[in-house]
Amino acid sequence: PLYLRRTLMFPYDEGEKFQQAVFLHDGMRAFSRIFREPPISTAQVEHPERYFEHTPLANPDLPKPVKHAKPFVAGAMGELETRILLEQYVSAALAEELGPKLKGADYRVDETKPSHRMTLVYASEWASQDAAAQYFEAYRKILRGKWKSVEMTAESATRFSGKSEDGYFAVTLDGNTVLSKEGFERPL
């Protein structure tokens, strides 16, 4: 699968380029610097200038779990994973163009009791409203690609929602943030 190929090769392909950039910037101190100050994101590896500038990741707010749900697992999704998602379901060209514009993304999988239904809440923050709008449109294609059946029930310039075999979903665009809620038992 594309995800395994990219993530397994990333340390070798991009890591080597990153180490070279740090060496050219810091000389012989580069090797020890990376151990003392490791990069905090795949974006800092892919764009060494962000490493040197100490560019932080954005952590977009996620809504609280719905009633009777508790967080099961949570994490961040970086530029590498976002590029893979875009390449797999939309196009390599869009992944290349849009990936660097990601400021940060967080996700959380919640478990609803007593049904043990798993739901996903995923928010991504972008460098501009235009980049967020591009990702919002791309995410529609991503959902159609990852599910076998998708029925859109409502669509507007800033929101679309519907139902898949995993449950109900809603995706919203708010400024430079895209928020997706997926797998719910009832319409959102």
Side-chain angles (χ1 to χ4, degrees):
L2 181 63
Y3 180 80
L4 288 178
R5 286 194 317 262
R6 291 284 193 271
T7 56
L8 288 173
M9 293 307 297
F10 183 82
Y12 300 100
D13 294 340
E14 297 303 321
E16 181 182 0
K17 294 174 192 171
F18 173 72
Q19 179 65 48
Q20 179 66 17
V22 177
F23 177 77
L24 291 173
H25 186 270
D26 289 353
M28 295 303 287
R29 300 176 311 153
F31 188 74
S32 63
R33 177 183 183 172
I34 291 174
F35 283 101
R36 283 190 327 276
E37 302 171 37
I40 62 167
S41 68
T42 55
Q44 284 190 347
V45 173
E46 292 186 274
H47 312 283
E49 67 279 2
R50 295 181 190 179
Y51 173 75
F52 300 126
E53 294 166 0
H54 303 285
T55 304
L57 284 175
N59 295 104
D61 292 329
L62 296 174
K64 292 182 180 184
V66 296
K67 188 176 180 180
H68 304 295
K70 295 203 185 261
F72 184 76
V73 67
M77 199 163 131
E79 182 177 336
L80 173 64
E81 294 87 1
T82 301
R83 282 179 183 240
I84 293 168
L85 192 63
L86 287 164
E87 183 176 341
Q88 182 169 348
Y89 293 112
V90 185
S91 73
L94 186 63
E96 198 66 29
E97 174 192 344
L98 204 50
K101 297 175 184 174
L102 178 70
K103 289 180 69 179
D106 288 331
Y107 69 89
R108 189 183 66 242
V109 176
D110 296 331
E111 181 180 22
T112 305
K113 301 287 184 174
S115 67
H116 299 288
R117 175 180 279 280
M118 297 295 202
T119 58
L120 170 67
V121 179
Y122 161 60
S124 57
E125 187 175 322
W126 297 86
S128 68
Q129 289 183 359
D130 288 342
Q134 270 188 290
Y135 190 69
F136 174 76
E137 288 305 317
Y139 205 72
R140 185 186 320 259
K141 292 177 184 175
I142 290 167
L143 293 183
R144 289 179 194 239
K146 78 176 194 174
W147 290 322
K148 291 178 185 168
S149 76
V150 174
E151 177 189 335
M152 293 289 180
T153 55
E155 297 184 67
S156 74
T158 59
R159 185 179 195 278
F160 63 86
S161 60
K163 186 175 195 284
S164 76
E165 65 268 17
D166 286 339
Y168 290 92
F169 64 89
V171 180
T172 56
L173 171 64
D174 183 12
N176 65 344
T177 301
V178 177
L179 173 66
S180 180
K181 299 176 183 179
E182 304 170 29
F184 287 80
E185 198 167 8
R186 291 176 175 53
L188 301 168

